[in-house]
Structure formats: C-alpha cells, structure tokens
Amino acid sequence: MLDMLLSRGSNGFWENPMLDNVKVVLVGTSHSGNIGSAARAMKVMGLSRLVLVDPQCEIDQQAIAMSSGATDILENVSIVGCLAEAISECSLVVGSSARSRTLEWPMLEPRECGKKFIEHASVSSTALVFGRERTGLTNDELQTCHYHVCIPANPEYSSLNLAMAVQTLSYEIRMAYLEHEKGLYRVSDEMIEFPRHKELELFFSHLEKVAKDIDFIDEQQPGKVMNKLRRLFTRSRPETQELNILRGILTAVEKKIR
Ligand code: SAH
C-alpha cells in the first residue's frame, strides 16, 4: 500500500502525490529563521513545496540552522514576486489570519481546513498562505483566497509565531491525510473540477470589461461593484463547467452589443 503512495522522485526524495499538491506560501517574510523553522514544520508533517512571495530576507545560515535538516525543502523553494503568481495554478487557496472575520469571508476551522486540502490535493494543486510577521496578509491578498482559516487561540493573545502557525495547520493536513489513508475519511471518487486561480482572474477581468461596456460600471467611478462580485463568486465556488457557462454568456453579450 505504502509503495503505491510513495515513490522516489528525481531529486532522490520520497514523493507523495497527494501531499506534494499542497503548497505552503509565505508572503513577505522578514526573518530568515522563520523560513527555516517553517521548512522544518512542513517536513515533519510530510509537506514539501515551499513558495516565498517577495521575501524580505535571504535564505541564510540562520534559515539553514533553524530548518534542522529540512534543507531539501529550502533547496527546492520557489521564489516569486506576488501572491497571484504563487497561486495561479491552484484550485484551492486558503489564507491564514490571526484575526478572524476581519472581512466577511468564508471561514474554515483548522480541522475542516485539513480535510478540504486532502479533498482537493487528490486532484489538483492547492495553497495554504501565511502573512508577514508584523502585519499579516493585506485585505487584497486575503480577498484572493477562497477561504480563511483562523487558529482559535487565546482571544487576548491570538497571534502565533509564523512557523508555529505553519506547524499547527500542517498538522491538521497530516491528520486528515492519515485518516484518509486509513480509509476513515473518503475523498469522493468523482471530485468536481474547480477552476484554477488564473482562470477565475480571467473571468473577473471579462466580467468587469462587459459591465463597463454596457455602462453598468462607470469607468470614472467604478465603486465597489467588482469587489462585491468577487466576493460573491469566491463564496459560491463555481465549478469549471459553470465558469465556462458564465464566460459564454459574457461573450454572447459582447457579440450582441458590438
Ligand atoms: N499581527 C499579525 C500577525 C502576523 S503572524 C496580524 O495581525 O495578522 C504571521 C502569520 O502567521 C499570519 O499572517 C498568519 O498567516 C499566521 N498566524 C498567526 N497566528 C495565527 C492564528 N491564530 N490563526 C491563523 N494564522 C495565524
């Protein structure tokens, strides 16, 4: 059974197709030690894909020391300039925040979050996103996520160290993974296909263009309509096929008004 699930990859490490579909994305990290500790936290839970968005530090000796042997994760790290780039291929994006309900957004409990990852990671790429040590994730970054997750810590002292937040949420993913392996928790055989982040972004641009073409949105005073629509479509999680229908309607409107 284990042989079927694990195989040696080209880099010589054991690969696990399900857990390898989970990316841990750290945005704007400023302490290299936290990157090393996050790598260690991931590796003990069987996660391997680390992505750094616009890091404010180098992967230096401190990072290597704190990774305590999880240097393979640091060696294979991807570094990108913005969050959209990190998550463009992902069909599930969850942003973690110490502040629950800063925005009205679908929330997951850490335990549900673990299960959601295992459901999606069996078929597609997913991302768990962490914010900056001092300021967390911006509202714009949080709004690109499908769900938010908050570790229900002491309300008077609720902010975990970045790597410890990575540890806690990676542990929940591992627990869901082990339950799935034991057959206690089944991922549906017919997993629905959800659009990747970049496909949703193309839809939002298309929707905005058509809303402007038909003068529903005023170019000079666009207001918050697009924000509200983004929230609506993020909340309702259209499937790939449903999104294609919506794109088709927009294209038909464009043809009619041409
Ligand atoms: N002062 C910042 C805290 C940043 S801690 C803020 O108010 O957001 C760095 C990161 O660790 C956060 O962006 C978040 O991704 C994660 N984190 C810390 N505590 C958390 C908690 N209780 N629940 C979920 N994520 C948490």
Side-chain angles (χ1 to χ4, degrees):
M1 175 81 170
L2 210 62
D3 287 350
M4 274 164 55
L5 296 165
L6 300 173
S7 61
R8 270 202 199 271
S10 52
N11 57 9
F13 294 105
W14 291 106
E15 289 184 346
N16 175 315
M18 194 179 263
L19 294 180
D20 288 350
N21 263 343
V22 179
K23 287 184 188 178
V24 169
V25 179
L26 306 185
V27 179
T29 310
S30 39
H31 297 295
S32 61
N34 278 336
I35 297 178
S37 300
R40 179 180 185 178
M42 288 168 60
K43 187 163 178 171
V44 288
M45 295 301 152
L47 302 178
S48 58
R49 303 271 185 264
L50 178 61
V51 183
L52 305 179
V53 174
D54 188 27
Q56 301 298 304
C57 59
E58 302 281 323
I59 298 182
D60 56 11
Q61 283 309 317
Q62 173 91 4
I64 294 167
M66 294 306 283
S67 77
S68 187
T71 40
D72 49 322
I73 294 190
L74 297 179
E75 279 158 15
N76 290 311
V77 78
S78 317
I79 301 182
V80 297
C82 65
L83 180 58
E85 209 178 327
I87 61 177
S88 70
E89 299 295 326
C90 297
S91 62
L92 173 72
V93 182
V94 179
S96 65
S97 169
R99 294 156 289 162
S100 68
R101 299 225 162 266
T102 342
L103 298 162
E104 278 298 313
W105 215 255
M107 293 288 304
L108 294 171
E109 295 291 328
R111 201 132 299 170
E112 288 175 88
C113 177
K115 290 190 172 176
K116 190 70 85 185
F117 270 93
I118 291 309
E119 267 170 29
H120 280 75
S122 55
V123 286
S124 60
S125 190
T126 61
L128 181 55
V129 185
F130 294 85
R132 299 158 188 84
E133 288 94 335
R134 280 200 308 130
T135 53
L137 294 166
T138 64
N139 280 352
D140 278 354
E141 287 161 350
L142 283 167
Q143 280 170 357
T144 60
C145 300
H146 298 112
Y147 298 95
H148 296 165
V149 60
C150 178
I151 300 161
N154 175 0
E156 282 148 37
Y157 193 71
S158 64
S159 176
L160 280 79
N161 159 269
L162 171 61
M164 296 195 183
V166 172
Q167 186 72 84
T168 307
L169 296 176
S170 304
Y171 171 76
E172 292 297 346
I173 294 175
R174 180 142 200 96
M175 288 304 104
Y177 169 72
L178 292 178
E179 283 192 2
H180 170 257
E181 290 309 285
K182 283 189 228 148
L184 295 178
Y185 164 62
R186 273 190 66 75
V187 170
S188 158
D189 293 337
E190 287 178 39
M191 183 62 200
I192 295 160
E193 198 189 320
F194 287 98
R196 291 172 291 176
H197 179 263
K198 63 180 178 192
E199 288 150 0
L200 260 184
E201 284 304 314
L202 286 172
F203 165 67
F204 288 133
S205 310
H206 199 173
L207 183 60
E208 186 169 7
K209 178 184 171 294
V210 172
K212 285 181 177 162
D213 288 351
I214 59 174
D215 295 332
F216 183 77
I217 293 181
D218 181 348
E219 292 255 18
Q220 306 310 318
Q221 285 182 314
K224 289 198 184 320
V225 176
M226 276 315 295
N227 276 354
K228 301 240 181 241
L229 289 172
R230 272 179 177 270
R231 197 170 68 172
L232 163 66
F233 286 107
T234 307
R235 189 176 64 227
S236 62
R237 296 278 279 138
E239 298 165 10
T240 301
Q241 224 178 27
E242 292 166 338
L243 199 74
N244 290 342
I245 295 172
L246 292 169
R247 290 290 302 264
I249 294 174
L250 293 174
T251 307
V253 171
E254 280 176 319
K255 276 192 192 141
K256 202 78 178 167
I257 60 174
R258 206 178 282 151

